[in-house]
mmCIF file with all atom_site columns, all heavy atoms in Angstrom:
data_model
loop_
_atom_site.group_PDB
_atom_site.id
_atom_site.type_symbol
_atom_site.label_atom_id
_atom_site.label_alt_id
_atom_site.label_comp_id
_atom_site.label_asym_id
_atom_site.label_entity_id
_atom_site.label_seq_id
_atom_site.pdbx_PDB_ins_code
_atom_site.Cartn_x
_atom_site.Cartn_y
_atom_site.Cartn_z
_atom_site.occupancy
_atom_site.B_iso_or_equiv
_atom_site.pdbx_formal_charge
_atom_site.auth_seq_id
_atom_site.auth_comp_id
_atom_site.auth_asym_id
_atom_site.auth_atom_id
_atom_site.pdbx_PDB_model_num
ATOM 1   N N   . LYS A 1 190 ? 10.726 1.770  17.144 1.00 96.00 ? 308 LYS A N   1
ATOM 2   C CA  . LYS A 1 190 ? 11.121 3.161  17.409 1.00 96.00 ? 308 LYS A CA  1
ATOM 3   C C   . LYS A 1 190 ? 12.325 3.532  16.542 1.00 96.00 ? 308 LYS A C   1
ATOM 4   O O   . LYS A 1 190 ? 12.380 4.636  15.961 1.00 96.00 ? 308 LYS A O   1
ATOM 5   C CB  . LYS A 1 190 ? 11.466 3.322  18.885 1.00 96.00 ? 308 LYS A CB  1
ATOM 6   C CG  . LYS A 1 190 ? 11.982 4.717  19.279 1.00 96.00 ? 308 LYS A CG  1
ATOM 7   C CD  . LYS A 1 190 ? 10.920 5.790  19.071 1.00 96.00 ? 308 LYS A CD  1
ATOM 8   C CE  . LYS A 1 190 ? 11.280 7.105  19.751 1.00 96.00 ? 308 LYS A CE  1
ATOM 9   N NZ  . LYS A 1 190 ? 12.559 7.675  19.312 1.00 96.00 ? 308 LYS A NZ  1
ATOM 10  N N   . LEU A 1 191 ? 13.286 2.616  16.426 1.00 96.00 ? 309 LEU A N   1
ATOM 11  C CA  . LEU A 1 191 ? 14.474 2.875  15.611 1.00 96.00 ? 309 LEU A CA  1
ATOM 12  C C   . LEU A 1 191 ? 14.093 3.008  14.138 1.00 96.00 ? 309 LEU A C   1
ATOM 13  O O   . LEU A 1 191 ? 14.577 3.906  13.437 1.00 96.00 ? 309 LEU A O   1
ATOM 14  C CB  . LEU A 1 191 ? 15.486 1.746  15.798 1.00 96.00 ? 309 LEU A CB  1
ATOM 15  C CG  . LEU A 1 191 ? 16.815 1.883  15.050 1.00 96.00 ? 309 LEU A CG  1
ATOM 16  C CD1 . LEU A 1 191 ? 17.553 3.147  15.467 1.00 96.00 ? 309 LEU A CD1 1
ATOM 17  C CD2 . LEU A 1 191 ? 17.681 0.643  15.286 1.00 96.00 ? 309 LEU A CD2 1
ATOM 18  N N   . LEU A 1 192 ? 13.209 2.121  13.672 1.00 97.00 ? 310 LEU A N   1
ATOM 19  C CA  . LEU A 1 192 ? 12.752 2.198  12.284 1.00 97.00 ? 310 LEU A CA  1
ATOM 20  C C   . LEU A 1 192 ? 12.008 3.501  12.044 1.00 97.00 ? 310 LEU A C   1
ATOM 21  O O   . LEU A 1 192 ? 12.200 4.158  11.016 1.00 97.00 ? 310 LEU A O   1
ATOM 22  C CB  . LEU A 1 192 ? 11.853 1.001  11.970 1.00 97.00 ? 310 LEU A CB  1
ATOM 23  C CG  . LEU A 1 192 ? 11.269 0.942  10.554 1.00 97.00 ? 310 LEU A CG  1
ATOM 24  C CD1 . LEU A 1 192 ? 12.375 0.872  9.514  1.00 97.00 ? 310 LEU A CD1 1
ATOM 25  C CD2 . LEU A 1 192 ? 10.324 -0.256 10.421 1.00 97.00 ? 310 LEU A CD2 1
ATOM 26  N N   . ASP A 1 193 ? 11.178 3.877  12.996 1.00 95.00 ? 311 ASP A N   1
ATOM 27  C CA  . ASP A 1 193 ? 10.424 5.125  12.891 1.00 95.00 ? 311 ASP A CA  1
ATOM 28  C C   . ASP A 1 193 ? 11.353 6.325  12.776 1.00 95.00 ? 311 ASP A C   1
ATOM 29  O O   . ASP A 1 193 ? 11.130 7.243  11.980 1.00 95.00 ? 311 ASP A O   1
ATOM 30  C CB  . ASP A 1 193 ? 9.520  5.259  14.117 1.00 95.00 ? 311 ASP A CB  1
ATOM 31  C CG  . ASP A 1 193 ? 8.388  6.233  13.898 1.00 95.00 ? 311 ASP A CG  1
ATOM 32  O OD1 . ASP A 1 193 ? 8.623  7.445  13.944 1.00 95.00 ? 311 ASP A OD1 1
ATOM 33  O OD2 . ASP A 1 193 ? 7.247  5.786  13.684 1.00 95.00 ? 311 ASP A OD2 1
ATOM 34  N N   . ASP A 1 194 ? 12.432 6.296  13.564 1.00 95.00 ? 312 ASP A N   1
ATOM 35  C CA  . ASP A 1 194 ? 13.402 7.400  13.548 1.00 95.00 ? 312 ASP A CA  1
ATOM 36  C C   . ASP A 1 194 ? 14.270 7.397  12.293 1.00 95.00 ? 312 ASP A C   1
ATOM 37  O O   . ASP A 1 194 ? 14.874 8.430  11.964 1.00 95.00 ? 312 ASP A O   1
ATOM 38  C CB  . ASP A 1 194 ? 14.313 7.315  14.775 1.00 95.00 ? 312 ASP A CB  1
ATOM 39  C CG  . ASP A 1 194 ? 13.589 7.639  16.068 1.00 95.00 ? 312 ASP A CG  1
ATOM 40  O OD1 . ASP A 1 194 ? 12.516 8.271  16.007 1.00 95.00 ? 312 ASP A OD1 1
ATOM 41  O OD2 . ASP A 1 194 ? 14.086 7.254  17.140 1.00 95.00 ? 312 ASP A OD2 1
ATOM 42  N N   . SER A 1 195 ? 14.355 6.245  11.609 1.00 95.00 ? 313 SER A N   1
ATOM 43  C CA  . SER A 1 195 ? 15.307 6.091  10.508 1.00 95.00 ? 313 SER A CA  1
ATOM 44  C C   . SER A 1 195 ? 14.678 6.214  9.127  1.00 95.00 ? 313 SER A C   1
ATOM 45  O O   . SER A 1 195 ? 15.400 6.288  8.123  1.00 95.00 ? 313 SER A O   1
ATOM 46  C CB  . SER A 1 195 ? 15.985 4.711  10.606 1.00 95.00 ? 313 SER A CB  1
ATOM 47  O OG  . SER A 1 195 ? 16.616 4.549  11.859 1.00 95.00 ? 313 SER A OG  1
ATOM 48  N N   . LEU A 1 196 ? 13.349 6.228  9.045  1.00 96.00 ? 314 LEU A N   1
ATOM 49  C CA  . LEU A 1 196 ? 12.664 6.190  7.755  1.00 96.00 ? 314 LEU A CA  1
ATOM 50  C C   . LEU A 1 196 ? 12.314 7.597  7.278  1.00 96.00 ? 314 LEU A C   1
ATOM 51  O O   . LEU A 1 196 ? 11.615 8.341  7.968  1.00 96.00 ? 314 LEU A O   1
ATOM 52  C CB  . LEU A 1 196 ? 11.389 5.344  7.886  1.00 96.00 ? 314 LEU A CB  1
ATOM 53  C CG  . LEU A 1 196 ? 10.556 5.151  6.619  1.00 96.00 ? 314 LEU A CG  1
ATOM 54  C CD1 . LEU A 1 196 ? 11.358 4.446  5.533  1.00 96.00 ? 314 LEU A CD1 1
ATOM 55  C CD2 . LEU A 1 196 ? 9.288  4.359  6.947  1.00 96.00 ? 314 LEU A CD2 1
ATOM 56  N N   . TYR A 1 197 ? 12.804 7.940  6.085  1.00 95.00 ? 315 TYR A N   1
ATOM 57  C CA  . TYR A 1 197 ? 12.547 9.259  5.504  1.00 95.00 ? 315 TYR A CA  1
ATOM 58  C C   . TYR A 1 197 ? 12.082 9.088  4.067  1.00 95.00 ? 315 TYR A C   1
ATOM 59  O O   . TYR A 1 197 ? 12.563 8.209  3.338  1.00 95.00 ? 315 TYR A O   1
ATOM 60  C CB  . TYR A 1 197 ? 13.814 10.121 5.526  1.00 95.00 ? 315 TYR A CB  1
ATOM 61  C CG  . TYR A 1 197 ? 14.209 10.565 6.915  1.00 95.00 ? 315 TYR A CG  1
ATOM 62  C CD1 . TYR A 1 197 ? 14.925 9.711  7.754  1.00 95.00 ? 315 TYR A CD1 1
ATOM 63  C CD2 . TYR A 1 197 ? 13.853 11.824 7.406  1.00 95.00 ? 315 TYR A CD2 1
ATOM 64  C CE1 . TYR A 1 197 ? 15.286 10.099 9.037  1.00 95.00 ? 315 TYR A CE1 1
ATOM 65  C CE2 . TYR A 1 197 ? 14.214 12.223 8.681  1.00 95.00 ? 315 TYR A CE2 1
ATOM 66  C CZ  . TYR A 1 197 ? 14.924 11.355 9.495  1.00 95.00 ? 315 TYR A CZ  1
ATOM 67  O OH  . TYR A 1 197 ? 15.270 11.732 10.766 1.00 95.00 ? 315 TYR A OH  1
ATOM 68  N N   . LEU A 1 251 ? 17.877 -3.460 12.032 1.00 97.00 ? 369 LEU A N   1
ATOM 69  C CA  . LEU A 1 251 ? 17.816 -2.389 11.046 1.00 97.00 ? 369 LEU A CA  1
ATOM 70  C C   . LEU A 1 251 ? 18.916 -2.548 10.008 1.00 97.00 ? 369 LEU A C   1
ATOM 71  O O   . LEU A 1 251 ? 18.673 -2.327 8.808  1.00 97.00 ? 369 LEU A O   1
ATOM 72  C CB  . LEU A 1 251 ? 17.928 -1.026 11.731 1.00 97.00 ? 369 LEU A CB  1
ATOM 73  C CG  . LEU A 1 251 ? 17.749 0.181  10.801 1.00 97.00 ? 369 LEU A CG  1
ATOM 74  C CD1 . LEU A 1 251 ? 16.340 0.209  10.210 1.00 97.00 ? 369 LEU A CD1 1
ATOM 75  C CD2 . LEU A 1 251 ? 18.036 1.491  11.533 1.00 97.00 ? 369 LEU A CD2 1
ATOM 76  N N   . GLU A 1 252 ? 20.107 -2.941 10.435 1.00 97.00 ? 370 GLU A N   1
ATOM 77  C CA  . GLU A 1 252 ? 21.201 -3.141 9.484  1.00 97.00 ? 370 GLU A CA  1
ATOM 78  C C   . GLU A 1 252 ? 20.892 -4.289 8.538  1.00 97.00 ? 370 GLU A C   1
ATOM 79  O O   . GLU A 1 252 ? 21.243 -4.249 7.344  1.00 97.00 ? 370 GLU A O   1
ATOM 80  C CB  . GLU A 1 252 ? 22.510 -3.398 10.232 1.00 97.00 ? 370 GLU A CB  1
ATOM 81  C CG  . GLU A 1 252 ? 23.059 -2.174 10.959 1.00 97.00 ? 370 GLU A CG  1
ATOM 82  C CD  . GLU A 1 252 ? 23.240 -0.986 10.028 1.00 97.00 ? 370 GLU A CD  1
ATOM 83  O OE1 . GLU A 1 252 ? 23.809 -1.182 8.924  1.00 97.00 ? 370 GLU A OE1 1
ATOM 84  O OE2 . GLU A 1 252 ? 22.822 0.130  10.393 1.00 97.00 ? 370 GLU A OE2 1
ATOM 85  N N   . LYS A 1 255 ? 18.536 -2.910 6.013  1.00 97.00 ? 373 LYS A N   1
ATOM 86  C CA  . LYS A 1 255 ? 19.267 -2.063 5.059  1.00 97.00 ? 373 LYS A CA  1
ATOM 87  C C   . LYS A 1 255 ? 19.991 -2.917 4.020  1.00 97.00 ? 373 LYS A C   1
ATOM 88  O O   . LYS A 1 255 ? 19.980 -2.600 2.823  1.00 97.00 ? 373 LYS A O   1
ATOM 89  C CB  . LYS A 1 255 ? 20.278 -1.186 5.802  1.00 97.00 ? 373 LYS A CB  1
ATOM 90  C CG  . LYS A 1 255 ? 19.679 -0.037 6.589  1.00 97.00 ? 373 LYS A CG  1
ATOM 91  C CD  . LYS A 1 255 ? 20.792 0.770  7.256  1.00 97.00 ? 373 LYS A CD  1
ATOM 92  C CE  . LYS A 1 255 ? 20.271 1.950  8.019  1.00 97.00 ? 373 LYS A CE  1
ATOM 93  N NZ  . LYS A 1 255 ? 21.367 2.727  8.669  1.00 97.00 ? 373 LYS A NZ  1
ATOM 94  N N   . LEU A 1 286 ? 26.016 11.249 -1.159 1.00 88.00 ? 404 LEU A N   1
ATOM 95  C CA  . LEU A 1 286 ? 25.997 11.598 0.264  1.00 88.00 ? 404 LEU A CA  1
ATOM 96  C C   . LEU A 1 286 ? 26.149 10.374 1.160  1.00 88.00 ? 404 LEU A C   1
ATOM 97  O O   . LEU A 1 286 ? 26.168 10.493 2.384  1.00 88.00 ? 404 LEU A O   1
ATOM 98  C CB  . LEU A 1 286 ? 24.687 12.316 0.598  1.00 88.00 ? 404 LEU A CB  1
ATOM 99  C CG  . LEU A 1 286 ? 24.476 13.686 -0.052 1.00 88.00 ? 404 LEU A CG  1
ATOM 100 C CD1 . LEU A 1 286 ? 23.058 14.177 0.205  1.00 88.00 ? 404 LEU A CD1 1
ATOM 101 C CD2 . LEU A 1 286 ? 25.482 14.692 0.494  1.00 88.00 ? 404 LEU A CD2 1
ATOM 102 N N   . GLY A 1 287 ? 26.211 9.187  0.554  1.00 89.00 ? 405 GLY A N   1
ATOM 103 C CA  . GLY A 1 287 ? 26.382 7.965  1.324  1.00 89.00 ? 405 GLY A CA  1
ATOM 104 C C   . GLY A 1 287 ? 25.100 7.254  1.676  1.00 89.00 ? 405 GLY A C   1
ATOM 105 O O   . GLY A 1 287 ? 25.109 6.318  2.479  1.00 89.00 ? 405 GLY A O   1
ATOM 106 N N   . PHE A 1 288 ? 23.990 7.633  1.061  1.00 92.00 ? 406 PHE A N   1
ATOM 107 C CA  . PHE A 1 288 ? 22.702 6.985  1.347  1.00 92.00 ? 406 PHE A CA  1
ATOM 108 C C   . PHE A 1 288 ? 22.463 5.883  0.312  1.00 92.00 ? 406 PHE A C   1
ATOM 109 O O   . PHE A 1 288 ? 22.011 6.143  -0.802 1.00 92.00 ? 406 PHE A O   1
ATOM 110 C CB  . PHE A 1 288 ? 21.563 8.009  1.295  1.00 92.00 ? 406 PHE A CB  1
ATOM 111 C CG  . PHE A 1 288 ? 21.711 9.120  2.291  1.00 92.00 ? 406 PHE A CG  1
ATOM 112 C CD1 . PHE A 1 288 ? 21.977 10.419 1.880  1.00 92.00 ? 406 PHE A CD1 1
ATOM 113 C CD2 . PHE A 1 288 ? 21.607 8.876  3.657  1.00 92.00 ? 406 PHE A CD2 1
ATOM 114 C CE1 . PHE A 1 288 ? 22.117 11.451 2.793  1.00 92.00 ? 406 PHE A CE1 1
ATOM 115 C CE2 . PHE A 1 288 ? 21.754 9.895  4.575  1.00 92.00 ? 406 PHE A CE2 1
ATOM 116 C CZ  . PHE A 1 288 ? 22.012 11.178 4.156  1.00 92.00 ? 406 PHE A CZ  1
ATOM 117 N N   . SER A 1 290 ? 20.849 2.799  1.165  1.00 95.00 ? 408 SER A N   1
ATOM 118 C CA  . SER A 1 290 ? 19.756 1.917  1.567  1.00 95.00 ? 408 SER A CA  1
ATOM 119 C C   . SER A 1 290 ? 18.453 2.655  1.306  1.00 95.00 ? 408 SER A C   1
ATOM 120 O O   . SER A 1 290 ? 18.021 3.483  2.104  1.00 95.00 ? 408 SER A O   1
ATOM 121 C CB  . SER A 1 290 ? 19.870 1.535  3.043  1.00 95.00 ? 408 SER A CB  1
ATOM 122 O OG  . SER A 1 290 ? 21.057 0.818  3.295  1.00 95.00 ? 408 SER A OG  1
ATOM 123 N N   . PHE A 1 304 ? 14.306 6.363  2.231  1.00 96.00 ? 422 PHE A N   1
ATOM 124 C CA  . PHE A 1 304 ? 15.674 6.125  2.685  1.00 96.00 ? 422 PHE A CA  1
ATOM 125 C C   . PHE A 1 304 ? 15.643 5.644  4.131  1.00 96.00 ? 422 PHE A C   1
ATOM 126 O O   . PHE A 1 304 ? 14.831 6.119  4.939  1.00 96.00 ? 422 PHE A O   1
ATOM 127 C CB  . PHE A 1 304 ? 16.507 7.407  2.615  1.00 96.00 ? 422 PHE A CB  1
ATOM 128 C CG  . PHE A 1 304 ? 16.874 7.841  1.237  1.00 96.00 ? 422 PHE A CG  1
ATOM 129 C CD1 . PHE A 1 304 ? 16.091 8.759  0.547  1.00 96.00 ? 422 PHE A CD1 1
ATOM 130 C CD2 . PHE A 1 304 ? 18.008 7.336  0.614  1.00 96.00 ? 422 PHE A CD2 1
ATOM 131 C CE1 . PHE A 1 304 ? 16.426 9.166  -0.734 1.00 96.00 ? 422 PHE A CE1 1
ATOM 132 C CE2 . PHE A 1 304 ? 18.360 7.739  -0.668 1.00 96.00 ? 422 PHE A CE2 1
ATOM 133 C CZ  . PHE A 1 304 ? 17.573 8.657  -1.342 1.00 96.00 ? 422 PHE A CZ  1
ATOM 134 N N   . LEU A 1 305 ? 16.539 4.718  4.458  1.00 96.00 ? 423 LEU A N   1
ATOM 135 C CA  . LEU A 1 305 ? 16.769 4.329  5.841  1.00 96.00 ? 423 LEU A CA  1
ATOM 136 C C   . LEU A 1 305 ? 18.094 4.926  6.268  1.00 96.00 ? 423 LEU A C   1
ATOM 137 O O   . LEU A 1 305 ? 19.156 4.565  5.736  1.00 96.00 ? 423 LEU A O   1
ATOM 138 C CB  . LEU A 1 305 ? 16.801 2.801  5.992  1.00 96.00 ? 423 LEU A CB  1
ATOM 139 C CG  . LEU A 1 305 ? 15.469 2.071  5.904  1.00 96.00 ? 423 LEU A CG  1
ATOM 140 C CD1 . LEU A 1 305 ? 15.672 0.566  6.091  1.00 96.00 ? 423 LEU A CD1 1
ATOM 141 C CD2 . LEU A 1 305 ? 14.483 2.600  6.953  1.00 96.00 ? 423 LEU A CD2 1
ATOM 142 N N   . THR A 1 306 ? 18.042 5.842  7.225  1.00 92.00 ? 424 THR A N   1
ATOM 143 C CA  . THR A 1 306 ? 19.260 6.516  7.677  1.00 92.00 ? 424 THR A CA  1
ATOM 144 C C   . THR A 1 306 ? 19.030 7.050  9.082  1.00 92.00 ? 424 THR A C   1
ATOM 145 O O   . THR A 1 306 ? 17.935 6.955  9.622  1.00 92.00 ? 424 THR A O   1
ATOM 146 C CB  . THR A 1 306 ? 19.634 7.657  6.716  1.00 92.00 ? 424 THR A CB  1
ATOM 147 O OG1 . THR A 1 306 ? 20.887 8.201  7.119  1.00 92.00 ? 424 THR A OG1 1
ATOM 148 C CG2 . THR A 1 306 ? 18.571 8.744  6.696  1.00 92.00 ? 424 THR A CG2 1
ATOM 149 N N   . SER A 1 307 ? 20.029 7.620  9.670  1.00 87.00 ? 425 SER A N   1
ATOM 150 C CA  . SER A 1 307 ? 19.915 8.160  11.023 1.00 87.00 ? 425 SER A CA  1
ATOM 151 C C   . SER A 1 307 ? 19.355 9.581  10.976 1.00 87.00 ? 425 SER A C   1
ATOM 152 O O   . SER A 1 307 ? 19.509 10.280 9.971  1.00 87.00 ? 425 SER A O   1
ATOM 153 C CB  . SER A 1 307 ? 21.275 8.185  11.710 1.00 87.00 ? 425 SER A CB  1
ATOM 154 O OG  . SER A 1 307 ? 22.117 9.144  11.096 1.00 87.00 ? 425 SER A OG  1
ATOM 155 N N   . PRO A 1 308 ? 18.709 10.033 12.057 1.00 83.00 ? 426 PRO A N   1
ATOM 156 C CA  . PRO A 1 308 ? 18.204 11.412 12.089 1.00 83.00 ? 426 PRO A CA  1
ATOM 157 C C   . PRO A 1 308 ? 19.294 12.444 11.860 1.00 83.00 ? 426 PRO A C   1
ATOM 158 O O   . PRO A 1 308 ? 19.063 13.468 11.211 1.00 83.00 ? 426 PRO A O   1
ATOM 159 C CB  . PRO A 1 308 ? 17.608 11.527 13.500 1.00 83.00 ? 426 PRO A CB  1
ATOM 160 C CG  . PRO A 1 308 ? 17.245 10.133 13.873 1.00 83.00 ? 426 PRO A CG  1
ATOM 161 C CD  . PRO A 1 308 ? 18.311 9.271  13.253 1.00 83.00 ? 426 PRO A CD  1
ATOM 162 N N   . LEU A 1 309 ? 20.504 12.171 12.364 1.00 84.00 ? 427 LEU A N   1
ATOM 163 C CA  . LEU A 1 309 ? 21.607 13.109 12.177 1.00 84.00 ? 427 LEU A CA  1
ATOM 164 C C   . LEU A 1 309 ? 21.988 13.194 10.704 1.00 84.00 ? 427 LEU A C   1
ATOM 165 O O   . LEU A 1 309 ? 22.148 14.286 10.144 1.00 84.00 ? 427 LEU A O   1
ATOM 166 C CB  . LEU A 1 309 ? 22.815 12.678 13.009 1.00 84.00 ? 427 LEU A CB  1
ATOM 167 C CG  . LEU A 1 309 ? 24.041 13.600 12.942 1.00 84.00 ? 427 LEU A CG  1
ATOM 168 C CD1 . LEU A 1 309 ? 23.688 14.998 13.460 1.00 84.00 ? 427 LEU A CD1 1
ATOM 169 C CD2 . LEU A 1 309 ? 25.203 13.012 13.751 1.00 84.00 ? 427 LEU A CD2 1
ATOM 170 N N   . ALA A 1 310 ? 22.117 12.018 10.066 1.00 87.00 ? 428 ALA A N   1
ATOM 171 C CA  . ALA A 1 310 ? 22.480 12.001 8.646  1.00 87.00 ? 428 ALA A CA  1
ATOM 172 C C   . ALA A 1 310 ? 21.362 12.564 7.780  1.00 87.00 ? 428 ALA A C   1
ATOM 173 O O   . ALA A 1 310 ? 21.611 13.118 6.712  1.00 87.00 ? 428 ALA A O   1
ATOM 174 C CB  . ALA A 1 310 ? 22.820 10.581 8.209  1.00 87.00 ? 428 ALA A CB  1
ATOM 175 N N   . ALA A 1 311 ? 20.124 12.413 8.248  1.00 87.00 ? 429 ALA A N   1
ATOM 176 C CA  . ALA A 1 311 ? 18.978 12.894 7.469  1.00 87.00 ? 429 ALA A CA  1
ATOM 177 C C   . ALA A 1 311 ? 19.005 14.408 7.278  1.00 87.00 ? 429 ALA A C   1
ATOM 178 O O   . ALA A 1 311 ? 18.365 14.931 6.366  1.00 87.00 ? 429 ALA A O   1
ATOM 179 C CB  . ALA A 1 311 ? 17.674 12.480 8.134  1.00 87.00 ? 429 ALA A CB  1
ATOM 180 N N   . LYS A 1 312 ? 19.745 15.106 8.124  1.00 89.00 ? 430 LYS A N   1
ATOM 181 C CA  . LYS A 1 312 ? 19.886 16.557 7.942  1.00 89.00 ? 430 LYS A CA  1
ATOM 182 C C   . LYS A 1 312 ? 20.502 16.858 6.579  1.00 89.00 ? 430 LYS A C   1
ATOM 183 O O   . LYS A 1 312 ? 20.177 17.867 5.944  1.00 89.00 ? 430 LYS A O   1
ATOM 184 C CB  . LYS A 1 312 ? 20.750 17.147 9.062  1.00 89.00 ? 430 LYS A CB  1
ATOM 185 C CG  . LYS A 1 312 ? 20.074 17.130 10.434 1.00 89.00 ? 430 LYS A CG  1
ATOM 186 C CD  . LYS A 1 312 ? 20.972 17.764 11.480 1.00 89.00 ? 430 LYS A CD  1
ATOM 187 C CE  . LYS A 1 312 ? 20.297 17.761 12.851 1.00 89.00 ? 430 LYS A CE  1
ATOM 188 N NZ  . LYS A 1 312 ? 21.167 18.374 13.897 1.00 89.00 ? 430 LYS A NZ  1
ATOM 189 N N   . LYS A 1 313 ? 21.398 15.940 6.127  1.00 90.00 ? 431 LYS A N   1
ATOM 190 C CA  . LYS A 1 313 ? 22.011 16.121 4.808  1.00 90.00 ? 431 LYS A CA  1
ATOM 191 C C   . LYS A 1 313 ? 20.964 15.994 3.709  1.00 90.00 ? 431 LYS A C   1
ATOM 192 O O   . LYS A 1 313 ? 21.022 16.696 2.702  1.00 90.00 ? 431 LYS A O   1
ATOM 193 C CB  . LYS A 1 313 ? 23.111 15.082 4.594  1.00 90.00 ? 431 LYS A CB  1
ATOM 194 C CG  . LYS A 1 313 ? 24.320 15.230 5.501  1.00 90.00 ? 431 LYS A CG  1
ATOM 195 C CD  . LYS A 1 313 ? 25.362 14.172 5.161  1.00 90.00 ? 431 LYS A CD  1
ATOM 196 C CE  . LYS A 1 313 ? 26.575 14.260 6.067  1.00 90.00 ? 431 LYS A CE  1
ATOM 197 N NZ  . LYS A 1 313 ? 27.565 13.201 5.734  1.00 90.00 ? 431 LYS A NZ  1
ATOM 198 N N   . LEU A 1 314 ? 20.007 15.066 3.917  1.00 90.00 ? 432 LEU A N   1
ATOM 199 C CA  . LEU A 1 314 ? 18.935 14.916 2.933  1.00 90.00 ? 432 LEU A CA  1
ATOM 200 C C   . LEU A 1 314 ? 18.136 16.213 2.810  1.00 90.00 ? 432 LEU A C   1
ATOM 201 O O   . LEU A 1 314 ? 17.823 16.668 1.705  1.00 90.00 ? 432 LEU A O   1
ATOM 202 C CB  . LEU A 1 314 ? 17.994 13.770 3.335  1.00 90.00 ? 432 LEU A CB  1
ATOM 203 C CG  . LEU A 1 314 ? 18.434 12.331 3.060  1.00 90.00 ? 432 LEU A CG  1
ATOM 204 C CD1 . LEU A 1 314 ? 17.390 11.363 3.596  1.00 90.00 ? 432 LEU A CD1 1
ATOM 205 C CD2 . LEU A 1 314 ? 18.641 12.092 1.569  1.00 90.00 ? 432 LEU A CD2 1
ATOM 206 N N   . LYS A 1 315 ? 17.797 16.783 3.950  1.00 90.00 ? 433 LYS A N   1
ATOM 207 C CA  . LYS A 1 315 ? 16.997 18.010 3.943  1.00 90.00 ? 433 LYS A CA  1
ATOM 208 C C   . LYS A 1 315 ? 17.771 19.173 3.341  1.00 90.00 ? 433 LYS A C   1
ATOM 209 O O   . LYS A 1 315 ? 17.196 20.015 2.640  1.00 90.00 ? 433 LYS A O   1
ATOM 210 C CB  . LYS A 1 315 ? 16.553 18.335 5.370  1.00 90.00 ? 433 LYS A CB  1
ATOM 211 C CG  . LYS A 1 315 ? 15.608 17.301 5.952  1.00 90.00 ? 433 LYS A CG  1
ATOM 212 C CD  . LYS A 1 315 ? 15.224 17.615 7.390  1.00 90.00 ? 433 LYS A CD  1
ATOM 213 C CE  . LYS A 1 315 ? 14.296 16.549 7.949  1.00 90.00 ? 433 LYS A CE  1
ATOM 214 N NZ  . LYS A 1 315 ? 13.920 16.809 9.354  1.00 90.00 ? 433 LYS A NZ  1
ATOM 215 N N   . VAL A 1 323 ? 11.375 16.519 2.051  1.00 92.00 ? 441 VAL A N   1
ATOM 216 C CA  . VAL A 1 323 ? 11.820 15.411 2.898  1.00 92.00 ? 441 VAL A CA  1
ATOM 217 C C   . VAL A 1 323 ? 10.985 15.375 4.169  1.00 92.00 ? 441 VAL A C   1
ATOM 218 O O   . VAL A 1 323 ? 10.833 16.397 4.845  1.00 92.00 ? 441 VAL A O   1
ATOM 219 C CB  . VAL A 1 323 ? 13.313 15.566 3.272  1.00 92.00 ? 441 VAL A CB  1
ATOM 220 C CG1 . VAL A 1 323 ? 13.773 14.388 4.126  1.00 92.00 ? 441 VAL A CG1 1
ATOM 221 C CG2 . VAL A 1 323 ? 14.172 15.684 2.018  1.00 92.00 ? 441 VAL A CG2 1
ATOM 222 N N   . GLN A 1 325 ? 9.374  12.549 7.541  1.00 92.00 ? 443 GLN A N   1
ATOM 223 C CA  . GLN A 1 325 ? 9.272  11.243 8.180  1.00 92.00 ? 443 GLN A CA  1
ATOM 224 C C   . GLN A 1 325 ? 7.811  10.826 8.223  1.00 92.00 ? 443 GLN A C   1
ATOM 225 O O   . GLN A 1 325 ? 6.987  11.518 8.824  1.00 92.00 ? 443 GLN A O   1
ATOM 226 C CB  . GLN A 1 325 ? 9.821  11.298 9.604  1.00 92.00 ? 443 GLN A CB  1
ATOM 227 C CG  . GLN A 1 325 ? 11.336 11.370 9.679  1.00 92.00 ? 443 GLN A CG  1
ATOM 228 C CD  . GLN A 1 325 ? 11.812 11.336 11.117 1.00 92.00 ? 443 GLN A CD  1
ATOM 229 O OE1 . GLN A 1 325 ? 11.870 12.372 11.762 1.00 92.00 ? 443 GLN A OE1 1
ATOM 230 N NE2 . GLN A 1 325 ? 12.145 10.157 11.609 1.00 92.00 ? 443 GLN A NE2 1
#
Side-chain angles (χ1 to χ4, degrees):
K308 176 64 166 58
L309 182 60
L310 179 61
D311 199 283
D312 290 341
S313 303
L314 182 61
Y315 289 82
L369 185 64
E370 290 305 313
K373 287 181 178 180
L404 294 172
F406 300 111
S408 298
F422 288 94
L423 286 181
T424 185
S425 69
L427 182 61
K430 291 182 180 180
K431 293 182 181 179
L432 281 177
K433 295 178 181 179
V441 181
Q443 286 183 275

